Amino acid sequence: QVQLVESGGGLVQPGGSLRLSCAASGIIFTIYHMGWYRQAPGKQRELVAAITSGGSTNYADSVKGRSTISRDNAKKTVYLQMNSLKPEDTAVYYCHAYYNDLDYWGQGTQVTVSS
């Protein structure tokens, strides 16, 4: 059974930082490309950052320079470090794993940026 379990969300003040984690099980983690998406109320789900199985990364323009995605294959975990958080970063953040025609989603973790 495939599971992606996110953690690390919460309430943070503008300008603060958070590190999200996504622990995977039930997949051969090393071959999967991993991504973080987010969905704010009333908006479509959007890609925040992605990392390939080989370690190449890409970021949404809205978070570029403020966020870093990384993976630890030994721990089967992908991380999203977010700095200089803004109120517009408020959303539910989802972990995504994909390989060829297989893809899986986590349940999401809430990030709220507010003073």
Side-chain angles (χ1 to χ4, degrees):
Q1 183 180 359
V2 178
Q3 281 192 311
L4 300 175
V5 180
E6 301 101 333
S7 61
L11 174 63
V12 62
Q13 292 188 340
S17 298
L18 280 177
R19 188 175 83 152
L20 305 182
S21 300
C22 170
S25 60
I27 60 172
I28 304 173
F29 185 77
T30 53
I31 68 173
Y32 275 75
H33 311 301
M34 302 297 296
W36 285 96
Y37 286 72
R38 67 186 181 188
Q39 188 166 20
K43 294 189 176 182
Q44 288 189 329
R45 191 173 296 189
E46 63 176 1
L47 176 68
V48 177
I51 184 166
T52 68
S53 57
S56 298
T57 59
N58 69 284
Y59 298 89
D61 287 343
S62 58
V63 304
K64 200 171 291 183
R66 301 189 294 123
S67 297
T68 303
I69 188 170
S70 61
R71 63 190 295 160
D72 185 331
N73 287 338
K75 294 183 178 180
K76 297 184 179 181
T77 300
V78 62
Y79 304 97
L80 181 66
Q81 176 71 42
M82 298 188 294
N83 302 319
S84 302
L85 283 162
K86 306 174 182 180
E88 51 264 43
D89 293 316
T90 295
V92 178
Y93 285 69
Y94 296 92
C95 180
H96 182 233
Y98 60 103
Y99 174 73
N100 288 349
D101 59 346
L102 299 173
D103 74 307
Y104 304 98
W105 292 91
Q107 292 296 310
T109 185
Q110 177 70 46
V111 172
T112 302
V113 184
S114 175
S115 55

